[in-house]
Amino acid sequence: MQKKRCALIGALLICTAGLFCLTGCGEEEADEQVTNLQIGKNGIITSNIVEDFGKDFYTIDTLKTMLQEEINDYNASHPEAVTLQTVELSEEEAGGVLVTLQYASCEDYTAFNGVELFYGTPEEAKAAGYSLNVELSDTAGNTVTLGEEGILAIKNAQILIIRQSAQVSKVSLPGKVLYMSGGTVLAGSKVVELPGPDEEGNIEWQGELTYVITK
């Protein structure tokens, strides 16, 4: 069932042509429109997608029903974990459909989409089994050597760890970005752009883990 779910959601989550206005990311990013993943301070994950709509094959109601069935299947064992907030024709992108999904936690996002996602303190990341001995760059693009000890010493730090995939192109965070993995692009003080697949439209692609430290 998860394979079926990932194929259905993955077809919507190709991030090559989507447009959606970022919200809650600070004034400097407010006018930018992209398909995006938003991490809330409360741990809630919001996924906003606008993608080409195959109206020759689906109606909006059919698409909504398909998505809701997959959500109901997941929520049967994870009550209220995933919520379908929006399925409608996009006002921004001609021929596009807007889909907004909300997840109660990173664990639910990972289980539902098959894309690894963690957000929490460095101590929690270490306890979850993630290595903190990773090479990072500062926001100016300079390579820094922090190591586990250095990362754990940053007061009030939060860390995003996400598997590079065709499903996510940009992530909006609640805190200001301090350091990030190589290949990650700073798209605003609280927004990062992730590396993607070399072949456009390859929804099966997954790459390395990306680390982003915020404060």
Side-chain angles (χ1 to χ4, degrees), residues 39-176:
I39 312 293
K41 290 182 179 180
N42 55 4
I44 291 177
I45 312 301
T46 302
S47 177
N48 301 305
I49 314 103
V50 173
E51 191 49 72
D52 291 341
F53 179 51
K55 60 184 178 181
D56 292 336
F57 303 97
Y58 300 107
T59 66
I60 287 292
D61 288 342
T62 299
L63 181 58
K64 184 176 181 178
T65 297
M66 291 170 65
L67 288 169
Q68 192 62 62
E69 286 176 352
E70 296 299 327
I71 290 169
N72 292 344
D73 177 65
Y74 182 82
N75 285 352
S77 55
H78 306 79
E80 300 182 4
V82 185
T83 303
L84 180 60
Q85 295 191 320
T86 305
V87 180
E88 61 186 22
L89 290 176
S90 170
E91 295 180 359
E92 301 288 339
E93 178 73 1
V97 60
L98 167 62
V99 178
T100 300
L101 294 163
Q102 195 167 80
Y103 303 85
S105 67
C106 290
E107 292 79 8
D108 290 311
Y109 180 87
T110 295
F112 193 79
N113 293 284
V115 176
E116 194 169 357
L117 177 67
F118 171 90
Y119 183 76
T121 66
E123 290 82 2
E124 290 170 337
K126 180 182 177 182
Y130 290 103
S131 172
L132 299 180
N133 288 311
V134 291
E135 187 174 280
L136 300 171
S137 298
D138 61 21
T139 55
N142 302 308
T143 300
V144 294
T145 304
L146 295 173
E148 179 180 292
E149 185 176 351
I151 292 176
L152 291 172
I154 302 174
K155 293 183 179 180
N156 302 317
Q158 296 285 311
I159 186 167
L160 167 75
I161 304 174
I162 183 170
R163 177 73 61 183
Q164 297 167 8
S165 75
Q167 297 187 16
V168 181
S169 57
K170 288 191 178 182
V171 181
S172 166
L173 297 151
K176 185 176 181 180

Side-chain angles (χ1 to χ4, degrees), residues 1 10 23 25 29 38 54 61 66 70 83-84 88 94-95 99 152 157 180 191-192 209:
M1 181 60 71
T23 58
C25 311
E29 295 94 11
Q38 297 180 26
D61 288 342
M66 291 170 65
E70 296 299 327
T83 303
L84 180 60
E88 61 186 22
V99 178
L152 291 172
M180 52 194 175
V191 182
V192 293
L209 290 175

